Every structure is written in structure tokens, then in C-alpha cells.
């Protein structure tokens, strides 16, 4: 039986999946509002990422979804665009930034 993957575990692993070279000259704050879990945000600046709990006062893009959808997208079980088109993911702000997340975080890379 597969082990249950939690939002906390996914967030814990994100820094190890960060691809610094894809963040050159890039700065953005991604807010994740999870309907059934704790909210968090990712700040990317100076080729580094920082993940913090709660809500950022002025994010560049806000992604709203259930925790299960976020886990499926991050683990590659579901495409972010299909989640958006099916209504499982809503975006507010500069939604084009959301497409950059796949380049900033690798599914394979672990450090």
C-alpha cells in the first residue's frame, strides 16, 4: 500500500528540487492557498527559494486548490494546466508565472 504523502512532506522536499540555474534574473512570490490544509508561499530571488507558511501580503500569483490536487501536480501525477482547465486549480494575479514553476522545480532532482 503506498505511503500517504502529506503537504508538509512535499513542502519539505521542494528546496531539494529547486533548479537554481533556471531562476537566473527571476524574482517572484507564489502563494498557495490550500482549501483543506495550511497555506504557504514560495519566494524565489537571487537564484534561491524560500518556503514559508501562511499568506504573503503581496504575492505575484496565487494558486488556489485542494491539498490533493497540489500533491498530484507536484508529483507529476496531474498536469497543472489540466488541473486548471478542469477547475481543480484557480489562479489569480500574474497567472503566466504559474507556468514557470515546472522549470523552477524538478521532479527528479533531490539534494
Amino acid at each position: 500500500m503506498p505511503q500517504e504523502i502529506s503537504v508538509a512532506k512535499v513542502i519539505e522536499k521542494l528546496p531539494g528540487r529547486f533548479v537554481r540555474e533556471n531562476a537566473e534574473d527571476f524574482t517572484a512570490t507564489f502563494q498557495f492557498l490550500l482549501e483543506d490544509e495550511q497555506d504557504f508561499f514560495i519566494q524565489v530571488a537571487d537564484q534561491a527559494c524560500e518556503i514559508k507558511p501562511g499568506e504573503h501580503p503581496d504575492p505575484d500569483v496565487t494558486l488556489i486548490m485542494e491539498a490533493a490536487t497540489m500533491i498530484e501536480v507536484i508529483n507529476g501525477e496531474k498536469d497543472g494546466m489540466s488541473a486548471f482547465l478542469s477547475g481543480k486549480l484557480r489562479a489569480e494575479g500574474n497567472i503566466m508565472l504559474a507556468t514557470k514553476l515546472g522549470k523552477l522545480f524538478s521532479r527528479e532532482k533531490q539534494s
Side-chain angles (χ1 to χ4, degrees):
M1 203 161 149
Q3 183 181 1
E4 188 66 30
I5 300 171
S6 69
V7 170
K9 270 277 192 242
V10 170
I11 292 170
E12 181 183 303
K13 291 183 180 210
L14 280 175
R17 293 178 168 193
F18 184 65
V19 184
R20 290 178 45 109
E21 49 275 12
N22 291 347
E24 190 173 345
D25 299 322
F26 181 80
T27 302
T29 300
F30 301 89
Q31 176 72 59
F32 289 79
L33 297 180
L34 303 178
E35 296 168 352
D36 52 351
E37 269 279 359
Q38 180 177 343
D39 302 331
F40 70 97
F41 61 93
I42 301 172
Q43 289 182 297
V44 177
D46 302 321
Q47 289 187 286
C49 81
E50 195 171 8
I51 300 165
K52 297 182 178 181
E55 288 189 48
H56 187 275
D58 189 26
D60 296 294
V61 63
T62 300
L63 303 167
I64 306 157
M65 69 199 91
E66 291 183 357
T69 301
M70 187 209 76
I71 292 169
E72 289 172 349
V73 170
I74 287 180
N75 286 336
E77 298 162 22
K78 182 181 285 263
D79 176 61
M81 184 56 77
S82 68
F84 178 77
L85 293 173
S86 68
K88 291 185 178 258
L89 165 65
R90 297 189 331 262
E92 297 173 356
N94 184 347
I95 60 173
M96 291 310 294
L97 284 175
T99 63
K100 181 88 170 155
L101 280 169
K103 290 185 173 75
L104 292 173
F105 294 93
S106 166
R107 288 188 185 100
E108 292 80 38
K109 182 180 176 185
Q110 296 286 325
S111 62

